Amino acid sequence: MIYYPGGGYTEANFRKYIQIKLALAEKGFVVASAEYRVIPETFKGAMLDAKEAIAYLRENADLYHIDVNRIGVFGQSAGGYMAQMMGVTSNTPYFLPDDLSMEDVRVSAVFSMFGVSNLLTVGKNLDIQATIGLRHPRLFG
């Protein structure tokens, strides 16, 4: 598992979320934290860095006892978005560093903790009355 830290695209402190990383390690996962370029760098720089981290683990799989068929990524907030983008672009040439192939940056799992999504469609089909009513039956009397 590669962790991409959140930070509003202005920081990428890899020391965040130590409890989650330790819990994963205790369950037998190899866990790495990856920093990536942040503002004022361009978006592409962060994507290239995130993919380089995946390629690094693939390249050093024997050293770290990593199953290259089971590499996952996760992060929160901006890091969650980075994880989402690694999944979405995993089998495409988009944002691929010049010296890497799509196989070098392929991931098998993505876990995004409140990563950026399309806020125009969040809850589009949600029956809010039924949802809130289940918790507060007096609200819709």
Side-chain angles (χ1 to χ4, degrees), residues 68-110:
V68 295
N69 295 310
R70 297 173 65 189
I71 293 178
V73 293
F74 73 107
Q76 96 290 351
S77 194
Y81 176 75
M82 296 302 294
Q84 290 168 200
M85 288 301 292
M86 294 303 101
V88 169
T89 64
S90 184
N91 293 315
T92 72
Y94 297 113
F95 307 108
L96 189 63
D98 291 336
D99 59 336
L100 298 177
S101 71
M102 286 186 289
E103 181 60 28
D104 294 329
V105 298
R106 185 177 49 82
V107 297
S108 300
V110 173

mmCIF file of all heavy atoms in Angstrom, residues 68-110:
data_model
loop_
_atom_site.group_PDB
_atom_site.id
_atom_site.type_symbol
_atom_site.label_atom_id
_atom_site.label_comp_id
_atom_site.label_asym_id
_atom_site.label_seq_id
_atom_site.Cartn_x
_atom_site.Cartn_y
_atom_site.Cartn_z
ATOM 1 N N VAL A 68 3.715 -7.832 -6.600
ATOM 2 C CA VAL A 68 3.470 -6.776 -7.601
ATOM 3 C C VAL A 68 2.074 -6.848 -8.210
ATOM 4 O O VAL A 68 1.633 -5.905 -8.859
ATOM 5 C CB VAL A 68 4.539 -6.778 -8.715
ATOM 6 C CG1 VAL A 68 5.903 -6.435 -8.152
ATOM 7 C CG2 VAL A 68 4.553 -8.095 -9.462
ATOM 8 N N ASN A 69 1.378 -7.951 -8.004
ATOM 9 C CA ASN A 69 0.011 -8.069 -8.507
ATOM 10 C C ASN A 69 -1.017 -7.539 -7.520
ATOM 11 O O ASN A 69 -2.209 -7.598 -7.789
ATOM 12 C CB ASN A 69 -0.299 -9.529 -8.841
ATOM 13 C CG ASN A 69 0.563 -10.017 -9.979
ATOM 14 O OD1 ASN A 69 0.655 -9.375 -11.016
ATOM 15 N ND2 ASN A 69 1.216 -11.144 -9.779
ATOM 16 N N ARG A 70 -0.536 -7.039 -6.380
ATOM 17 C CA ARG A 70 -1.459 -6.569 -5.348
ATOM 18 C C ARG A 70 -0.996 -5.236 -4.762
ATOM 19 O O ARG A 70 -1.034 -5.038 -3.558
ATOM 20 C CB ARG A 70 -1.581 -7.626 -4.265
ATOM 21 C CG ARG A 70 -2.170 -8.924 -4.805
ATOM 22 C CD ARG A 70 -2.154 -10.026 -3.797
ATOM 23 N NE ARG A 70 -3.023 -9.692 -2.685
ATOM 24 C CZ ARG A 70 -3.070 -10.403 -1.567
ATOM 25 N NH1 ARG A 70 -2.325 -11.457 -1.415
ATOM 26 N NH2 ARG A 70 -3.874 -10.034 -0.597
ATOM 27 N N ILE A 71 -0.592 -4.320 -5.607
ATOM 28 C CA ILE A 71 -0.192 -2.992 -5.133
ATOM 29 C C ILE A 71 -1.425 -2.101 -5.081
ATOM 30 O O ILE A 71 -2.155 -1.962 -6.053
ATOM 31 C CB ILE A 71 0.896 -2.378 -6.035
ATOM 32 C CG1 ILE A 71 2.190 -3.188 -5.893
ATOM 33 C CG2 ILE A 71 1.128 -0.906 -5.680
ATOM 34 C CD1 ILE A 71 3.326 -2.714 -6.760
ATOM 35 N N GLY A 72 -1.645 -1.506 -3.915
ATOM 36 C CA GLY A 72 -2.769 -0.602 -3.725
ATOM 37 C C GLY A 72 -2.274 0.766 -3.309
ATOM 38 O O GLY A 72 -1.129 0.927 -2.869
ATOM 39 N N VAL A 73 -3.134 1.749 -3.459
ATOM 40 C CA VAL A 73 -2.812 3.124 -3.079
ATOM 41 C C VAL A 73 -3.950 3.671 -2.240
ATOM 42 O O VAL A 73 -5.103 3.286 -2.404
ATOM 43 C CB VAL A 73 -2.566 4.017 -4.315
ATOM 44 C CG1 VAL A 73 -1.313 3.601 -5.051
ATOM 45 C CG2 VAL A 73 -3.753 3.983 -5.280
ATOM 46 N N PHE A 74 -3.606 4.581 -1.312
ATOM 47 C CA PHE A 74 -4.635 5.220 -0.518
ATOM 48 C C PHE A 74 -4.159 6.587 -0.061
ATOM 49 O O PHE A 74 -2.973 6.897 -0.097
ATOM 50 C CB PHE A 74 -5.051 4.350 0.676
ATOM 51 C CG PHE A 74 -4.059 4.261 1.804
ATOM 52 C CD1 PHE A 74 -4.296 4.930 2.996
ATOM 53 C CD2 PHE A 74 -2.914 3.483 1.696
ATOM 54 C CE1 PHE A 74 -3.407 4.828 4.053
ATOM 55 C CE2 PHE A 74 -2.016 3.374 2.752
ATOM 56 C CZ PHE A 74 -2.263 4.050 3.939
ATOM 57 N N GLY A 75 -5.120 7.404 0.326
ATOM 58 C CA GLY A 75 -4.807 8.734 0.815
ATOM 59 C C GLY A 75 -6.064 9.427 1.275
ATOM 60 O O GLY A 75 -7.163 8.917 1.083
ATOM 61 N N GLN A 76 -5.875 10.585 1.901
ATOM 62 C CA GLN A 76 -7.020 11.348 2.369
ATOM 63 C C GLN A 76 -6.965 12.743 1.760
ATOM 64 O O GLN A 76 -5.896 13.273 1.523
ATOM 65 C CB GLN A 76 -7.086 11.356 3.897
ATOM 66 C CG GLN A 76 -6.489 12.515 4.627
ATOM 67 C CD GLN A 76 -4.962 12.591 4.584
ATOM 68 O OE1 GLN A 76 -4.271 11.696 4.133
ATOM 69 N NE2 GLN A 76 -4.425 13.698 5.038
ATOM 70 N N SER A 77 -8.156 13.270 1.465
ATOM 71 C CA SER A 77 -8.298 14.604 0.891
ATOM 72 C C SER A 77 -7.525 14.698 -0.425
ATOM 73 O O SER A 77 -7.785 13.916 -1.328
ATOM 74 C CB SER A 77 -7.878 15.662 1.916
ATOM 75 O OG SER A 77 -8.295 16.940 1.518
ATOM 76 N N ALA A 78 -6.575 15.619 -0.531
ATOM 77 C CA ALA A 78 -5.797 15.719 -1.774
ATOM 78 C C ALA A 78 -5.081 14.408 -2.068
ATOM 79 O O ALA A 78 -4.955 13.992 -3.221
ATOM 80 C CB ALA A 78 -4.791 16.865 -1.679
ATOM 81 N N GLY A 79 -4.633 13.718 -1.015
ATOM 82 C CA GLY A 79 -3.994 12.410 -1.202
ATOM 83 C C GLY A 79 -4.984 11.362 -1.676
ATOM 84 O O GLY A 79 -4.634 10.457 -2.438
ATOM 85 N N GLY A 80 -6.240 11.468 -1.226
ATOM 86 C CA GLY A 80 -7.284 10.579 -1.724
ATOM 87 C C GLY A 80 -7.520 10.803 -3.206
ATOM 88 O O GLY A 80 -7.722 9.855 -3.964
ATOM 89 N N TYR A 81 -7.486 12.062 -3.600
ATOM 90 C CA TYR A 81 -7.618 12.383 -5.023
ATOM 91 C C TYR A 81 -6.456 11.790 -5.806
ATOM 92 O O TYR A 81 -6.652 11.219 -6.885
ATOM 93 C CB TYR A 81 -7.678 13.898 -5.220
ATOM 94 C CG TYR A 81 -7.728 14.295 -6.663
ATOM 95 C CD1 TYR A 81 -8.899 14.146 -7.398
ATOM 96 C CD2 TYR A 81 -6.604 14.801 -7.306
ATOM 97 C CE1 TYR A 81 -8.951 14.499 -8.737
ATOM 98 C CE2 TYR A 81 -6.654 15.152 -8.646
ATOM 99 C CZ TYR A 81 -7.820 14.998 -9.349
ATOM 100 O OH TYR A 81 -7.862 15.338 -10.673
ATOM 101 N N MET A 82 -5.235 11.890 -5.253
ATOM 102 C CA MET A 82 -4.074 11.308 -5.932
ATOM 103 C C MET A 82 -4.267 9.802 -6.086
ATOM 104 O O MET A 82 -3.995 9.238 -7.153
ATOM 105 C CB MET A 82 -2.790 11.602 -5.156
ATOM 106 C CG MET A 82 -2.422 13.066 -5.068
ATOM 107 S SD MET A 82 -2.206 13.861 -6.666
ATOM 108 C CE MET A 82 -0.770 12.992 -7.243
ATOM 109 N N ALA A 83 -4.750 9.147 -5.039
ATOM 110 C CA ALA A 83 -5.000 7.707 -5.116
ATOM 111 C C ALA A 83 -6.045 7.398 -6.187
ATOM 112 O O ALA A 83 -5.871 6.480 -6.999
ATOM 113 C CB ALA A 83 -5.444 7.183 -3.752
ATOM 114 N N GLN A 84 -7.136 8.183 -6.196
ATOM 115 C CA GLN A 84 -8.170 7.990 -7.218
ATOM 116 C C GLN A 84 -7.583 8.119 -8.617
ATOM 117 O O GLN A 84 -7.876 7.310 -9.503
ATOM 118 C CB GLN A 84 -9.286 9.029 -7.043
ATOM 119 C CG GLN A 84 -10.133 8.846 -5.828
ATOM 120 C CD GLN A 84 -11.031 10.036 -5.538
ATOM 121 O OE1 GLN A 84 -11.462 10.165 -4.431
ATOM 122 N NE2 GLN A 84 -11.318 10.913 -6.484
ATOM 123 N N MET A 85 -6.766 9.135 -8.819
ATOM 124 C CA MET A 85 -6.175 9.353 -10.136
ATOM 125 C C MET A 85 -5.218 8.235 -10.524
ATOM 126 O O MET A 85 -5.100 7.890 -11.702
ATOM 127 C CB MET A 85 -5.474 10.709 -10.193
ATOM 128 C CG MET A 85 -6.440 11.879 -10.210
ATOM 129 S SD MET A 85 -7.574 11.844 -11.624
ATOM 130 C CE MET A 85 -6.448 12.158 -12.975
ATOM 131 N N MET A 86 -4.528 7.638 -9.542
ATOM 132 C CA MET A 86 -3.661 6.502 -9.852
ATOM 133 C C MET A 86 -4.505 5.343 -10.363
ATOM 134 O O MET A 86 -4.132 4.662 -11.309
ATOM 135 C CB MET A 86 -2.850 6.065 -8.623
ATOM 136 C CG MET A 86 -1.831 7.073 -8.140
ATOM 137 S SD MET A 86 -0.618 7.583 -9.381
ATOM 138 C CE MET A 86 -1.288 9.167 -9.886
ATOM 139 N N GLY A 87 -5.665 5.144 -9.769
ATOM 140 C CA GLY A 87 -6.557 4.086 -10.235
ATOM 141 C C GLY A 87 -7.144 4.379 -11.600
ATOM 142 O O GLY A 87 -7.156 3.526 -12.487
ATOM 143 N N VAL A 88 -7.603 5.596 -11.788
ATOM 144 C CA VAL A 88 -8.250 5.977 -13.048
ATOM 145 C C VAL A 88 -7.270 5.952 -14.219
ATOM 146 O O VAL A 88 -7.630 5.593 -15.332
ATOM 147 C CB VAL A 88 -8.897 7.373 -12.918
ATOM 148 C CG1 VAL A 88 -9.345 7.923 -14.255
ATOM 149 C CG2 VAL A 88 -10.057 7.325 -11.950
ATOM 150 N N THR A 89 -6.021 6.326 -13.971
ATOM 151 C CA THR A 89 -5.048 6.405 -15.061
ATOM 152 C C THR A 89 -4.089 5.214 -15.080
ATOM 153 O O THR A 89 -3.156 5.187 -15.866
ATOM 154 C CB THR A 89 -4.224 7.709 -14.984
ATOM 155 O OG1 THR A 89 -3.441 7.705 -13.781
ATOM 156 C CG2 THR A 89 -5.121 8.931 -15.029
ATOM 157 N N SER A 90 -4.338 4.222 -14.243
ATOM 158 C CA SER A 90 -3.433 3.084 -14.092
ATOM 159 C C SER A 90 -3.167 2.343 -15.408
ATOM 160 O O SER A 90 -2.048 1.932 -15.672
ATOM 161 C CB SER A 90 -4.012 2.107 -13.063
ATOM 162 O OG SER A 90 -3.150 1.046 -12.815
ATOM 163 N N ASN A 91 -4.183 2.155 -16.197
ATOM 164 C CA ASN A 91 -4.029 1.415 -17.455
ATOM 165 C C ASN A 91 -4.095 2.325 -18.676
ATOM 166 O O ASN A 91 -4.580 1.923 -19.733
ATOM 167 C CB ASN A 91 -5.099 0.322 -17.550
ATOM 168 C CG ASN A 91 -4.889 -0.752 -16.519
ATOM 169 O OD1 ASN A 91 -3.774 -1.220 -16.324
ATOM 170 N ND2 ASN A 91 -5.946 -1.140 -15.836
ATOM 171 N N THR A 92 -3.620 3.549 -18.504
ATOM 172 C CA THR A 92 -3.621 4.513 -19.604
ATOM 173 C C THR A 92 -2.241 5.166 -19.695
ATOM 174 O O THR A 92 -1.468 5.126 -18.734
ATOM 175 C CB THR A 92 -4.660 5.632 -19.378
ATOM 176 O OG1 THR A 92 -4.205 6.498 -18.341
ATOM 177 C CG2 THR A 92 -6.032 5.065 -19.024
ATOM 178 N N PRO A 93 -1.939 5.796 -20.804
ATOM 179 C CA PRO A 93 -0.662 6.506 -20.907
ATOM 180 C C PRO A 93 -0.701 7.915 -20.307
ATOM 181 O O PRO A 93 0.301 8.627 -20.341
ATOM 182 C CB PRO A 93 -0.435 6.583 -22.422
ATOM 183 C CG PRO A 93 -1.814 6.595 -23.003
ATOM 184 C CD PRO A 93 -2.637 5.729 -22.087
ATOM 185 N N TYR A 94 -1.840 8.311 -19.715
ATOM 186 C CA TYR A 94 -1.946 9.664 -19.173
ATOM 187 C C TYR A 94 -1.032 9.850 -17.969
ATOM 188 O O TYR A 94 -0.979 9.014 -17.082
ATOM 189 C CB TYR A 94 -3.391 9.983 -18.771
ATOM 190 C CG TYR A 94 -4.330 9.968 -19.939
ATOM 191 C CD1 TYR A 94 -5.307 9.011 -20.050
ATOM 192 C CD2 TYR A 94 -4.200 10.911 -20.967
ATOM 193 C CE1 TYR A 94 -6.169 8.984 -21.139
ATOM 194 C CE2 TYR A 94 -5.045 10.900 -22.060
ATOM 195 C CZ TYR A 94 -6.022 9.934 -22.139
ATOM 196 O OH TYR A 94 -6.859 9.906 -23.221
ATOM 197 N N PHE A 95 -0.313 10.951 -17.963
ATOM 198 C CA PHE A 95 0.599 11.315 -16.874
ATOM 199 C C PHE A 95 1.658 10.245 -16.620
ATOM 200 O O PHE A 95 2.092 10.051 -15.494
ATOM 201 C CB PHE A 95 -0.173 11.617 -15.583
ATOM 202 C CG PHE A 95 -1.260 12.623 -15.755
ATOM 203 C CD1 PHE A 95 -2.584 12.249 -15.729
ATOM 204 C CD2 PHE A 95 -0.948 13.954 -15.959
ATOM 205 C CE1 PHE A 95 -3.588 13.188 -15.895
ATOM 206 C CE2 PHE A 95 -1.944 14.906 -16.126
ATOM 207 C CZ PHE A 95 -3.263 14.511 -16.097
ATOM 208 N N LEU A 96 2.066 9.580 -17.658
ATOM 209 C CA LEU A 96 3.070 8.530 -17.531
ATOM 210 C C LEU A 96 4.464 9.134 -17.663
ATOM 211 O O LEU A 96 4.764 9.780 -18.663
ATOM 212 C CB LEU A 96 2.844 7.471 -18.619
ATOM 213 C CG LEU A 96 3.656 6.204 -18.530
ATOM 214 C CD1 LEU A 96 3.312 5.449 -17.248
ATOM 215 C CD2 LEU A 96 3.381 5.318 -19.729
ATOM 216 N N PRO A 97 5.318 8.957 -16.645
ATOM 217 C CA PRO A 97 6.692 9.453 -16.771
ATOM 218 C C PRO A 97 7.370 8.841 -18.000
ATOM 219 O O PRO A 97 7.116 7.684 -18.348
ATOM 220 C CB PRO A 97 7.355 8.974 -15.475
ATOM 221 C CG PRO A 97 6.222 8.870 -14.501
ATOM 222 C CD PRO A 97 5.057 8.378 -15.329
ATOM 223 N N ASP A 98 8.238 9.604 -18.635
ATOM 224 C CA ASP A 98 8.856 9.186 -19.891
ATOM 225 C C ASP A 98 9.585 7.855 -19.796
ATOM 226 O O ASP A 98 9.604 7.084 -20.749
ATOM 227 C CB ASP A 98 9.837 10.259 -20.387
ATOM 228 C CG ASP A 98 9.126 11.523 -20.829
ATOM 229 O OD1 ASP A 98 7.926 11.444 -21.189
ATOM 230 O OD2 ASP A 98 9.763 12.586 -20.815
ATOM 231 N N ASP A 99 10.185 7.562 -18.660
ATOM 232 C CA ASP A 99 11.002 6.359 -18.533
ATOM 233 C C ASP A 99 10.239 5.152 -17.994
ATOM 234 O O ASP A 99 10.831 4.121 -17.697
ATOM 235 C CB ASP A 99 12.214 6.638 -17.635
ATOM 236 C CG ASP A 99 11.818 7.104 -16.248
ATOM 237 O OD1 ASP A 99 10.705 7.644 -16.083
ATOM 238 O OD2 ASP A 99 12.622 6.919 -15.320
ATOM 239 N N LEU A 100 8.908 5.252 -17.880
ATOM 240 C CA LEU A 100 8.116 4.163 -17.322
ATOM 241 C C LEU A 100 7.067 3.672 -18.304
ATOM 242 O O LEU A 100 6.649 4.394 -19.197
ATOM 243 C CB LEU A 100 7.424 4.617 -16.033
ATOM 244 C CG LEU A 100 8.330 5.041 -14.886
ATOM 245 C CD1 LEU A 100 7.496 5.540 -13.708
ATOM 246 C CD2 LEU A 100 9.238 3.897 -14.457
ATOM 247 N N SER A 101 6.627 2.427 -18.086
ATOM 248 C CA SER A 101 5.550 1.852 -18.888
ATOM 249 C C SER A 101 4.279 1.817 -18.045
ATOM 250 O O SER A 101 4.325 1.993 -16.828
ATOM 251 C CB SER A 101 5.913 0.432 -19.316
ATOM 252 O OG SER A 101 5.869 -0.443 -18.196
ATOM 253 N N MET A 102 3.150 1.525 -18.688
ATOM 254 C CA MET A 102 1.899 1.423 -17.951
ATOM 255 C C MET A 102 1.981 0.302 -16.915
ATOM 256 O O MET A 102 1.419 0.418 -15.823
ATOM 257 C CB MET A 102 0.725 1.212 -18.906
ATOM 258 C CG MET A 102 0.350 2.475 -19.655
ATOM 259 S SD MET A 102 -1.134 2.304 -20.662
ATOM 260 C CE MET A 102 -0.543 1.257 -21.974
ATOM 261 N N GLU A 103 2.666 -0.766 -17.233
ATOM 262 C CA GLU A 103 2.825 -1.869 -16.279
ATOM 263 C C GLU A 103 3.573 -1.416 -15.030
ATOM 264 O O GLU A 103 3.282 -1.869 -13.923
ATOM 265 C CB GLU A 103 3.550 -3.048 -16.932
ATOM 266 C CG GLU A 103 3.726 -4.234 -16.028
ATOM 267 C CD GLU A 103 2.424 -4.842 -15.513
ATOM 268 O OE1 GLU A 103 1.386 -4.732 -16.199
ATOM 269 O OE2 GLU A 103 2.443 -5.418 -14.405
ATOM 270 N N ASP A 104 4.515 -0.507 -15.184
ATOM 271 C CA ASP A 104 5.298 -0.008 -14.047
ATOM 272 C C ASP A 104 4.448 0.731 -13.021
ATOM 273 O O ASP A 104 4.815 0.816 -11.851
ATOM 274 C CB ASP A 104 6.401 0.954 -14.514
ATOM 275 C CG ASP A 104 7.456 0.286 -15.362
ATOM 276 O OD1 ASP A 104 7.734 -0.910 -15.158
ATOM 277 O OD2 ASP A 104 8.016 0.977 -16.243
ATOM 278 N N VAL A 105 3.319 1.294 -13.451
ATOM 279 C CA VAL A 105 2.516 2.143 -12.567
ATOM 280 C C VAL A 105 1.117 1.582 -12.304
ATOM 281 O O VAL A 105 0.269 2.268 -11.732
ATOM 282 C CB VAL A 105 2.421 3.580 -13.128
ATOM 283 C CG1 VAL A 105 3.797 4.215 -13.217
ATOM 284 C CG2 VAL A 105 1.729 3.606 -14.479
ATOM 285 N N ARG A 106 0.898 0.329 -12.671
ATOM 286 C CA ARG A 106 -0.416 -0.295 -12.491
ATOM 287 C C ARG A 106 -0.689 -0.543 -11.011
ATOM 288 O O ARG A 106 0.177 -0.976 -10.266
ATOM 289 C CB ARG A 106 -0.476 -1.616 -13.253
ATOM 290 C CG ARG A 106 -1.820 -2.289 -13.236
ATOM 291 C CD ARG A 106 -1.831 -3.550 -14.081
ATOM 292 N NE ARG A 106 -0.722 -4.447 -13.806
ATOM 293 C CZ ARG A 106 -0.676 -5.320 -12.797
ATOM 294 N NH1 ARG A 106 -1.680 -5.402 -11.958
ATOM 295 N NH2 ARG A 106 0.373 -6.108 -12.633
ATOM 296 N N VAL A 107 -1.923 -0.247 -10.586
ATOM 297 C CA VAL A 107 -2.350 -0.540 -9.223
ATOM 298 C C VAL A 107 -3.555 -1.472 -9.263
ATOM 299 O O VAL A 107 -4.312 -1.487 -10.232
ATOM 300 C CB VAL A 107 -2.677 0.735 -8.418
ATOM 301 C CG1 VAL A 107 -1.450 1.603 -8.251
ATOM 302 C CG2 VAL A 107 -3.815 1.522 -9.031
ATOM 303 N N SER A 108 -3.722 -2.232 -8.186
ATOM 304 C CA SER A 108 -4.822 -3.193 -8.101
ATOM 305 C C SER A 108 -5.942 -2.745 -7.181
ATOM 306 O O SER A 108 -7.032 -3.307 -7.214
ATOM 307 C CB SER A 108 -4.287 -4.537 -7.604
ATOM 308 O OG SER A 108 -3.314 -5.036 -8.493
ATOM 309 N N ALA A 109 -5.668 -1.754 -6.329
ATOM 310 C CA ALA A 109 -6.684 -1.300 -5.373
ATOM 311 C C ALA A 109 -6.494 0.176 -5.068
ATOM 312 O O ALA A 109 -5.371 0.679 -5.078
ATOM 313 C CB ALA A 109 -6.577 -2.108 -4.085
ATOM 314 N N VAL A 110 -7.607 0.840 -4.805
ATOM 315 C CA VAL A 110 -7.601 2.264 -4.453
ATOM 316 C C VAL A 110 -8.518 2.458 -3.257
ATOM 317 O O VAL A 110 -9.647 1.969 -3.236
ATOM 318 C CB VAL A 110 -8.104 3.135 -5.629
ATOM 319 C CG1 VAL A 110 -8.262 4.586 -5.208
ATOM 320 C CG2 VAL A 110 -7.192 3.002 -6.826
#
